[in-house]
Amino acid sequence: MSPFLSLLVGHKPPRSHTLEPVGERWPLDLPLVRFSKLDADVWTLGDACQGVLIMGENGSGKTSGSGQLIARKFLQNGFGGLVLCFKTDEADLWREYLKRAGREADGRFFSPESAFRFNFLDYEAGTSGVDFAENLVTLLVDVASIQKRTEASGSEAHFWLPQKKKLLRNAITLLLLAGHPVQLRTLYQIITDAPHFPEQTKDPQWQAKSFLFDLLRKAEEKAADHPEWELIKNYWMSERPLLPSKTRETIDADFTGMFDPLTRGKIGELFGASTNLTPDDILAGKIVVIDIPIAKYREAGQYAALIWAQLFQRAVDRRAYESPVGRPVFLWEDEAHYFTIEQDALFQTTARSKGISVVRLTQNLPNFLDAYGRDGKHKVDTLLGNHATKIFHRNGDAVTTEWSAKTIAKDTQYRHSISGSGSVSAASGPTSNVSVSEVEEDSCPPKEFIGLKNGGKKNNYTVEAILFQSGRLWRKSERWTTVRFNQR
Ligand SMILES: Nc1ncnc2c1ncn2[C@@H]1O[C@H](COP(=O)(O)OP(=O)(O)OP(=O)(O)O)[C@@H](O)[C@H]1O
Ligand SMILES: [Mg+2]
């Protein structure tokens, strides 16, 4: 193992401040990072689009080492991007990156203090047409899954998930039939306003005050002959009031918990009536930073980031991407375990053909395992397995280092052993047997991850990491190699 400097490729940045597509080309073999002097060790756009996982303990140099280098390369090469924020200083870090890449003008910081707005329900309606209700149901269920995913599993999930979808489907379709705008606020109001027991549906006082009842009346006037009308009326007036209250509360909890923080105050305004920023801006080369950091805004920040991430991934899925004319984009998730849901694994499998590089940074494997809940192991394996490039920084977490060693896999070692018998004083003299045995050994044992340099003055601002890419050999013959990054 001999560490060597990662040399930056001198690729001339495109005229990124204007970002006119004219003359810009991004072939899949576009070099991004040169990890050694050998041409074979160039890391390209095609490699980036197979996903990047960066792991290392707190302060190991993920953000300031490998993260910084890859982020800068993406910006210098004219990528569009979506950046999700956990830490409060993440947005400033990206301001600095944009400035250094000469792309300040492309930065769009979506925060409660900004003038950007994203009415994602309108956006979804505009992009999905007749499938709107069903697509919106899926989106909201997916986003809500970030909080409750540790609870339902196995057979429970088989019961709750269809119930949750049914609730949203009936709320959204009712709004559409009544000719009322579909907004988070109105969805929230329908759910909180629905009758709690069958007699309540006949109570004139409830009928006079209820937003839900008003919608039902309007829908009946406008769409009584609609094939879904009877089903919707039945759901709200009979089926749902008959549910035991515990069951109903469990079905509602994900959505009331999500709609509440997203419809209040400044965050409510961000996702309110108007729209001046969408995932399409990212495809056109903008860098959208969701500056609602989870460290400050808690679950509101998490939902906001997830809404953007899910809609961005859908926009990427829909786009007609062709290399080399299609502009590459990236999804950046530092502290990724706060932003990752089950659907991401599936998306990751198609990312390469869609010109998107997803970069996920996290401290350790248990973070992901915790986030995915008790049945989550195979989901985590699937997700992380779909990030072909893995950069492992210093780590003392045994679960992670063992997993990393296993990921890099085993080499067959040939161990020689000599056994002797007989005595020097024996007439025939001593005899010895040489035997060779085949032993499977970790090609990168867990202890390799412990001693890596983690930057700062004491290390002369050098960060080290172990680089691995499935199906690739470095320096002609090595399954993994140690690389260095300069923090400055
Ligand atoms: N630009 C810089 N110049 C010098 N030192 C830095 C710089 N950025 C970070 N450091 C220091 O280098 C070390 C690695 O920091 P970094 O933030 O990259 O780690 P990390 O792996 O991202 O940690 P975390 O898990 O907490 O996000 C820390 O001790 C940090 O204080
Ligand atoms: Mg960090």
Side-chain angles (χ1 to χ4, degrees), residues 230-271:
E230 285 299 328
L231 294 171
I232 289 166
K233 186 173 72 174
N234 183 57
Y235 177 79
W236 291 110
M237 298 299 270
S238 311
E239 185 181 333
R240 196 179 137 91
L242 278 170
L243 288 174
S245 59
K246 263 237 140 334
T247 310
R248 204 175 45 230
E249 280 159 23
T250 308
I251 297 169
D252 294 359
D254 281 10
F255 307 113
T256 48
M258 174 165 89
F259 296 155
D260 187 39
L262 286 180
T263 50
R264 284 164 187 262
K266 287 217 169 347
I267 306 259
E269 282 174 36
L270 281 176
F271 292 109

Side-chain angles (χ1 to χ4, degrees), residues 99-144:
K99 193 170 156 190
R100 276 200 275 158
R103 291 194 56 189
E104 273 170 305
D106 290 327
R108 300 285 181 273
F109 292 80
F110 186 79
S111 82
E113 285 77 42
S114 74
F116 292 116
R117 297 288 179 267
F118 181 32
N119 179 346
F120 68 94
L121 299 169
D122 264 1
Y123 174 78
E124 188 58 33
T127 52
S128 45
V130 287
D131 298 328
F132 169 64
E134 215 42 48
N135 286 349
L136 190 54
V137 168
T138 316
L139 172 72
L140 294 174
V141 168
D142 287 355
V143 171

Side-chain angles (χ1 to χ4, degrees), residues 101-251:
R103 291 194 56 189
E104 273 170 305
D106 290 327
R108 300 285 181 273
F109 292 80
F110 186 79
S111 82
E113 285 77 42
S114 74
F116 292 116
R117 297 288 179 267
F118 181 32
N119 179 346
F120 68 94
L121 299 169
D122 264 1
Y123 174 78
E124 188 58 33
T127 52
S128 45
V130 287
D131 298 328
F132 169 64
E134 215 42 48
N135 286 349
L136 190 54
V137 168
T138 316
L139 172 72
L140 294 174
V141 168
D142 287 355
V143 171
S145 72
I146 191 90
Q147 297 294 341
K148 297 283 171 190
R149 62 190 174 196
T150 47
E151 289 188 356
S153 63
S155 58
E156 295 162 63
H158 287 302
F159 173 74
W160 293 114
L161 189 61
Q163 292 293 334
K164 288 172 182 179
K165 287 188 167 179
K166 195 170 186 178
L167 168 69
L168 285 181
R169 195 176 295 124
N170 278 288
I172 293 164
T173 318
L174 175 60
L175 285 165
L176 292 173
L177 292 188
H180 207 88
V182 180
Q183 292 166 343
L184 291 180
R185 207 182 292 271
T186 50
L187 289 172
Y188 184 44
Q189 215 180 332
I190 291 180
I191 296 172
T192 52
D193 212 28
H196 290 180
F197 44 89
E199 297 75 49
Q200 200 179 356
T201 59
K202 297 186 187 84
D203 176 1
Q205 263 193 331
W206 175 80
Q207 291 185 355
K209 281 197 298 193
S210 166
F211 174 60
L212 170 68
F213 195 73
D214 186 44
L215 288 174
L216 286 165
R217 237 186 335 232
K218 284 185 181 141
E220 188 164 38
E221 270 170 35
K222 289 179 194 241
D225 54 351
H226 191 279
E228 291 199 42
W229 163 244
E230 285 299 328
L231 294 171
I232 289 166
K233 186 173 72 174
N234 183 57
Y235 177 79
W236 291 110
M237 298 299 270
S238 311
E239 185 181 333
R240 196 179 137 91
L242 278 170
L243 288 174
S245 59
K246 263 237 140 334
T247 310
R248 204 175 45 230
E249 280 159 23
T250 308
I251 297 169

Side-chain angles (χ1 to χ4, degrees), residues 438-455:
E438 232 182 70
V439 196
E440 290 256 292
E441 280 188 351
D442 284 331
S443 87
C444 180
K447 67 177 187 323
E448 292 287 346
F449 302 91
I450 295 167
L452 296 165
K453 286 194 172 122
N454 61 350

Side-chain angles (χ1 to χ4, degrees), residues 56-65 68 87 334-335 361-363 393 454-458 461 463 487-488:
E57 65 189 23
N58 280 119
S60 60
K62 301 181 290 297
T63 306
S64 61
Q68 176 179 209
K87 291 186 180 170
D334 202 337
E335 309 285 337
L361 295 85
T362 194
Q363 282 84 22
H393 289 265
N454 61 350
K457 196 156 182 247
K458 63 183 183 302
Y461 306 105
V463 168
Q487 288 178 303
R488 301 218 134 161

